[in-house]
């Protein structure tokens, strides 16, 4: 069993740590808001006083933060992860940054004699909890082989895709389909509903069909009503869409469904409902179809 | 076990008949091209000399044809199904017509003392073969209850959605996602590929992710090369998209991803590759990204 | 000066008749609602008791009606134009039908020894009033040469494009830009407004720029408020978009901006504001941007 | 008459200087490639050895450069414009930067006791040559009034829109319509052409219609063949589209036609024809419609 560090205990990060603990690893955690660590400490995790300390104590140290600024905050400075990386350590960044950022960070990590793997996780915390998450990994092949047993504790499907940045790229390539599949699903639901089919019945039948990806299966029912907890709001979804659209322009790949779907996320923000799970694009489309919903009465 | 009739023995129709025979039913079949019936006759089906005869011999008679003209040909005239419907017979139309057509046909069937169920099947013949097809059914509730045991032999998930036309509507509402999910998948594959990730590796990782609907799972690999057999070509896919777009205009539901994806099916036709499975929209998009494929070298 | 007939006295038809009268022609008119003819009769037009009579009295007879059904009503039957066409008469249909309809009608007219020209007018009644309308004409070249002096009284730019149906096709090819240019204009106005620029000031500056087509020039100001009179409502605009989209599918020409803009016309209908001039797509987009307007307070 | 400075002598910049000289002003010019200044020196302009010197000698100094990097190069450092601004000088930046950049630069200029006006010009150098350009100006109202007589020598329509950044914003709001109007025009041309109408005849008739904005009028004929000189290539056009899309996301304004059109500019780049005038999106669309053009034989 390995000595691990984990920095960033949001909903997803906490799910990952629970699986690492359950697999018998020692996990030292740090989070900007310490309260979020409590259930994990109860479950056996240890507390570090800084990201640096989490790195110093670990063979493999992870980060999972929501944006570039938060990433800077936990890696840089005297208390940052970079300062704590001993030679031979593996640093696994599970955040979704831009591929260019991943490559730049890899160079800095290498300068410390350590190795960076970019390993964004696809799916939600539910997928992780159920042991169904797949991990795409970019970076040095040797470092990947060494980290693999630990990564397999997170999810059974672990893919090495190539050098640093490739895993983030693939995550982005996958995530654009989250929003597009959802908007297409909403178009179908509204067609059914305005044809006189009960919305709940329509969702049930659609979830039994060949279009029911795991994403559609857990997010589709949100068109019937949003839970209090928000999984992935419009702004987070749009961050990934923007990364996709930037990549598309740089690599010269047209992205027709991504670009049009992104405008509906913008509309959710414009309508003031962008802080809900991005399934709220249903409500945006419903407003255009003259259909009332819980969210836009 | 019931006396059944089946008219229309394309790839999908033949798969359905095999399941009905396997469940122990007696099935009388008719097809415009009699040769296609041969494997089924070997497997125990009986031959009818006309659609009318198939109807006359059956408690439940099915049709599955590819377009409105073919539908007219097997239902109308002295040899047509309508002429052979005895009072009490159930006529199950598994074709995807427009909802308005389904309702009009229902009236004619009723005038003969019989009942129409519209029951388009979602998925491919593969889904049917594996016993995973779901059936959505529209029409009279009593007729549905009587036909249900027979329908469950085709696929385990059988949904009664409402009056005639509702099942076709839901099929259309589902099928628009086939094309949209595929185009979004292609956008991701091309992003990954132009980032330097091997196309095959990208597909493998994407199929292990939360966006892998059954449709994406069986059609996604077509971006690596098309098989000789075509499941659902661009023109058939576009027929369903057009039904969706017409419904959208009539019911006043905007369909942003459907409409833009439909233009890429048009492009496949314009480029002269519309007779391939609609996964060929990958090749359309690849041509815009300057990526060579098998289809557009 | 010629003996002319004119059937269909909507806003546009009336403007055309006024110009024909002003040029010194004799014009016999008919309209389903006779009251609309009154100002024209005052201005010198004569009344016919049926479309047939209007045709019988004329060397050149015109129709301008809003849809296929109205077209049938004035051409068919004992009182219809076809019944009144003497050999040698020229029948000029200024309505926007489908190109296929234009070709079918031409055959029937020819069977009477007469000739059909399809001559849809581009622009609004304002453009006609100002003598700036352009006329595209499809049909027989000799008939075109004979009718040309009369047509030039309507607008100075008269184009012979080819056989029957070509003029309607070009009209459709032009009209798709009406809606697309308008939606793009609205996108710009809302960007400016949410940046803090006064909407009226933004419109003024935009109308002084290179994007100010005649259409944008007269319709752009509608984003500041709708007049009581509706020039061209969403349903009429969508009729033309649908003709374009059908042609696009038949001819295999992808229409990306047309298709997405059309969904915003659908949205206007869905939101219950489709009976306003199609400039109301501004209000649709404004609702998505969280901006209040007169129409959607 | 005023002492003016002008930095950046591309096609557009040179046109502007010619008009300023023609109005009787003294103009001191600088350009990174001095050869481009020669025709202007012959016409009476004076040469400065640096942007700083151009600023030092002027009451009003202009810049017109193509991107942010070029802008930095002429404003910063010991030889830059900022170093040469005396108190009371007006600095008019005619480049299209982001609104945020315009505001940041304004602060630096103000720190030198001078004033910045952002005054991007709409239209092409042709529009300027013909004296039809319109100028939108952002920045301090007093500085605007002082500069106005000079600006009117460039084009007769000069609009003060508000504080710094507003003029650039409006330019972006206008420019998105350039690409969208062009793509919609191309859709129409291809519909007409595949209907059997000669492409040249179709363009002629469309340019006589209400959709013929000045932009469509001068760029539309490019679908018949590209000249050697490129006015505004796909990458330049896409730079403006990206500014629009960024603004749209920040201000929460959905931009449906802008976003989809932008993907066709990406396609032009992907197909390797992005260095042509952006009218080349015609050729992109033609390739999807199976129509050969000069560019994509």
């Amino acid at each position: 069993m390995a000595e691990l560090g984990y920095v960033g205990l949001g909903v997803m990060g906490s799910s990952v740590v629970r699986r690492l603990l359950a697999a018998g690893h020692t996990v030292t955690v740090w989070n900007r808001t310490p309260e979020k660590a409590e259930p994990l400490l109860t479950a056996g995790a240890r507390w570090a006083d800084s990201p640096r300390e989490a790195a110093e104590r670990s063979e493999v140290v992870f980060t999972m933060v929501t944006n570039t600024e938060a990433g800077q905050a936990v890696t840089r400075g005297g208390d940052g992860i970079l300062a704590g990386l001993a030679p031979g350590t593996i640093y696994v960044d599970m955040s979704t940054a831009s591929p260019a950022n991943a490559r730049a960070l890899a160079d800095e990590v290498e300068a410390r004699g350590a190795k960076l793997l970019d390993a964004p996780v696809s799916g939600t915390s539910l997928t992780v909890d159920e042991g169904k998450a797949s991990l795409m990994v970019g970076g040095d092949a040797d470092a990947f082989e060494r980290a693999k047993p630990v990564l397999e504790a997170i999810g059974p499907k672990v893919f090495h895709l190539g050098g640093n940045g490739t895993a983030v790229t693939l995550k982005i390539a996958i995530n654009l389909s989250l929003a597009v599949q959802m908007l297409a699903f909403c178009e179908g639901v509204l067609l059914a509903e305005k044809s006189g089919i009960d919305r709940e019945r329509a969702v049930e039948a659609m979830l039994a069909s060949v279009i029911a990806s795991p994403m559609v299966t857990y997010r589709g029912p949100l068109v019937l009503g949003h839970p209090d907890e928000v999984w992935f709001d419009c702004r987070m979804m749009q961050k990934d869409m923007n990364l996709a659209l930037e990549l598309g322009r740089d690599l010269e790949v047209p992205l027709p469904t991504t670009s049009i779907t992104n405008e509906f996320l913008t509309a959710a923000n414009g309508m003031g409902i962008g802080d809900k799970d991005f399934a709220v694009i249903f409500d945006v489309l419903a407003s255009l179809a003259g259909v009332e919903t819980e969210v836009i009465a």
Side-chain angles (χ1 to χ4, degrees), chain A:
Chain A
M1 293 297 101
E3 295 282 337
L4 308 176
Y6 209 99
V7 169
L9 302 174
V11 177
M12 181 64 100
S14 297
S15 287
V16 173
V17 172
R18 275 194 298 273
R19 288 193 65 83
L20 293 172
L21 289 169
H25 296 293
T26 306
V27 190
T28 304
V29 301
W30 182 88
N31 195 55
R32 195 162 50 95
T33 320
E35 293 73 42
K36 290 203 181 159
E38 281 166 22
L40 298 171
L41 299 179
T42 308
R46 303 187 207 163
W47 179 252
D49 285 330
S50 66
R52 175 184 185 150
E53 192 187 322
E56 283 169 348
R57 290 208 214 156
S58 305
E59 298 160 65
V60 182
V61 61
F62 295 80
T63 47
M64 165 95 77
V65 294
T66 52
N67 57 40
T68 311
E69 291 68 44
Q72 298 286 333
V74 300
T75 48
R76 317 271 159 203
D79 278 345
I81 283 179
L82 284 171
L85 287 177
T89 309
I90 296 173
Y91 172 8
V92 180
D93 185 10
M94 299 184 74
S95 316
T96 304
S98 74
N101 272 10
R103 285 188 293 268
L105 183 58
D107 289 345
E108 294 183 84
V109 170
E110 207 125 335
R112 313 267 323 171
K115 293 285 184 189
L116 179 76
L117 298 175
D118 52 292
V121 65
S122 180
T124 61
S125 58
L126 273 177
T127 329
V128 172
D129 291 345
E130 293 168 358
K132 292 181 182 164
S134 70
L135 257 82
M136 295 156 291
V137 186
D140 181 74
D142 283 348
F144 169 75
E145 287 305 328
R146 283 172 36 222
K148 201 176 173 188
V150 171
L151 299 175
E152 284 172 343
I154 301 173
K157 288 174 263 175
V158 175
F159 296 89
H160 185 237
L161 287 161
N164 281 114
T166 51
V168 195
T169 298
L170 203 76
K171 167 90 182 281
I172 294 168
I174 287 169
N175 274 16
L176 66 87
S177 274
L178 301 184
V180 177
Q181 288 192 351
M182 190 64 204
L183 185 51
F185 179 79
C186 295
E187 295 175 17
V189 172
L190 282 164
L191 270 190
E193 180 166 353
K194 288 193 88 173
S195 291
I197 302 170
D198 182 65
R199 195 190 298 170
E200 201 160 346
R201 199 92 190 97
V203 169
E204 186 191 8
M206 291 168 81
L207 294 190
S209 81
V210 295
I211 66 165
S213 61
M215 192 287 295
V216 165
T217 302
Y218 59 71
R219 185 162 273 114
L222 297 192
V223 305
L224 303 169
H226 282 263
D228 290 336
E229 189 194 351
V230 172
W231 297 335
F232 203 54
D233 71 20
C234 290
R235 289 170 214 281
M236 289 169 80
M237 185 69 250
Q238 194 162 46
K239 192 191 71 156
D240 285 7
M241 298 298 265
N242 287 350
L243 288 172
L245 290 164
E246 266 173 42
L247 262 186
R249 289 197 284 260
D250 290 349
L251 299 171
E252 303 178 347
V253 177
L255 304 175
T257 67
T258 305
S259 65
I260 201 67
T261 301
N262 191 40
E263 300 305 314
F264 279 79
L265 293 169
T266 296
N269 293 337
M271 292 170 74
I273 52 180
D275 56 347
K276 297 214 168 270
D277 184 273
F278 73 84
V280 84
I281 48 177
F282 176 76
D283 305 86
V284 175
L285 197 64
S287 83
L288 295 180
V291 171
E292 287 198 2
T293 69
E294 226 183 61
V295 177
I296 44 148

